[in-house]
Amino acid sequence: PTSVAPGELLNYTLIALNNGPSDAHDVVVTDTLPPEVEFVSATPDPVSGPDPLTWEFETIAAGTSRNIYVVVRVPSTLTPDGNLTNVAGVSASTFDPALENNSDTEETVVLGPAADLAISKTDNPDPVEPGALLTYTLLIENLGPSDAEGVVLADTLPPEVSFVEAVPAQDSGPNPLTWNLGALAAGDSTTVEVVVQLHDSVVTPFTNSATTSATTPDPNIGNNTVEESTVPDVDAI
């Protein structure tokens, strides 16, 4: 894309074109990547690199071209501070009557960070006997592309249960229980376990709801909330 968020992949396409009139021999293409990015791959493989990446072609016939594809990653920790600048060049042993088109510069805009947080939850056991302990396991994932800052988890317990303990311990609560989880790198996850006790009189299903958020903008808030329904084991009464 012409603009990228921290953590995203960026694709460059280089076209080495021989405008003629003669065939070009011993062609060398170079690509100097922005210092901010991480090299991922190139097609075809370069003969050296990545600073700069270099390709060698024995001949490019007049009127033909060779395409090169380069993939880089913008670090998930990068903060917007100007554009990313990529400089590519081409040369040959054959005389070139127009050197002014032998290099090209491409600018890419760096957007603000964006971190897609997602939350899931399981309960165990389910069904659960009235009066027994029940453990909720909450998984918070950062699907990227950027690191998430100021991550917060809130878990609202149903009235049918009593809070026993949490690992790690909550920062406030118990209704809702909240955790200040700090930073969560792109691609990383963290787990929280909550232990509750079901009241003796509960005979109908009940639901636990949890939500996660961060100070980093989230491009997909549809997966920031989860609900888990648990069935009481009435046969055990």
Side-chain angles (χ1 to χ4, degrees):
T2 57
S3 58
V4 290
E8 286 189 319
L9 293 177
L10 173 61
N11 301 274
Y12 294 111
T13 300
L14 294 78
I15 304 174
L17 172 64
N18 180 4
N19 290 318
S22 306
D23 293 350
H25 299 284
D26 305 318
V27 178
V28 177
V29 177
T30 61
D31 189 25
T32 302
L33 301 177
E36 299 90 345
V37 304
E38 303 164 354
F39 173 69
V40 176
S41 64
T43 304
D45 292 332
V47 296
S48 64
D51 190 21
L53 295 164
T54 304
W55 295 264
E56 297 175 354
F57 302 104
E58 183 175 349
T59 302
I60 298 181
T64 67
S65 62
R66 296 295 297 267
N67 286 9
I68 298 171
Y69 305 96
V70 179
V71 182
V72 300
R73 183 180 299 278
V74 181
S76 61
T77 56
L78 186 67
T79 56
D81 184 20
N83 296 345
L84 301 175
T85 303
N86 180 302
V87 181
V90 65
S91 63
S93 62
T94 306
F95 172 73
D96 191 328
L99 296 177
E100 64 274 8
N101 60 2
N102 285 29
S103 65
D104 191 29
T105 299
E106 185 67 25
E107 299 280 345
T108 305
V109 176
V110 180
L111 303 173
D116 180 12
L117 290 182
I119 185 171
S120 58
K121 178 192 295 186
T122 59
D123 59 346
N124 184 52
D126 187 2
V128 57
E129 295 182 11
L133 296 180
L134 171 66
T135 300
Y136 293 110
T137 301
L138 297 91
L139 175 66
I140 301 92
E141 300 176 274
N142 181 2
L143 304 179
S146 310
D147 293 352
E149 302 291 339
V151 179
V152 175
L153 170 65
D155 187 22
T156 302
L157 299 179
E160 290 87 352
V161 304
S162 297
F163 173 68
V164 177
E165 65 174 347
V167 180
Q170 73 280 8
D171 294 299
S172 64
N175 206 20
L177 297 162
T178 61
W179 293 262
N180 297 312
L181 300 175
L184 187 62
D188 282 358
S189 63
T190 188
T191 300
V192 173
E193 289 190 346
V194 178
V195 180
V196 298
Q197 184 173 26
L198 183 62
H199 297 166
D200 292 336
S201 59
V202 178
V203 294
T204 58
F206 53 95
T207 300
N208 178 298
S209 177
T211 301
T212 188
S213 62
T215 56
T216 304
D218 191 327
N220 176 26
I221 61 173
N223 55 5
N224 288 32
T225 299
V226 65
E227 292 186 346
E228 182 67 25
S229 180
T230 307
V231 178
D233 186 0
V234 294
D235 294 334
I237 299 177

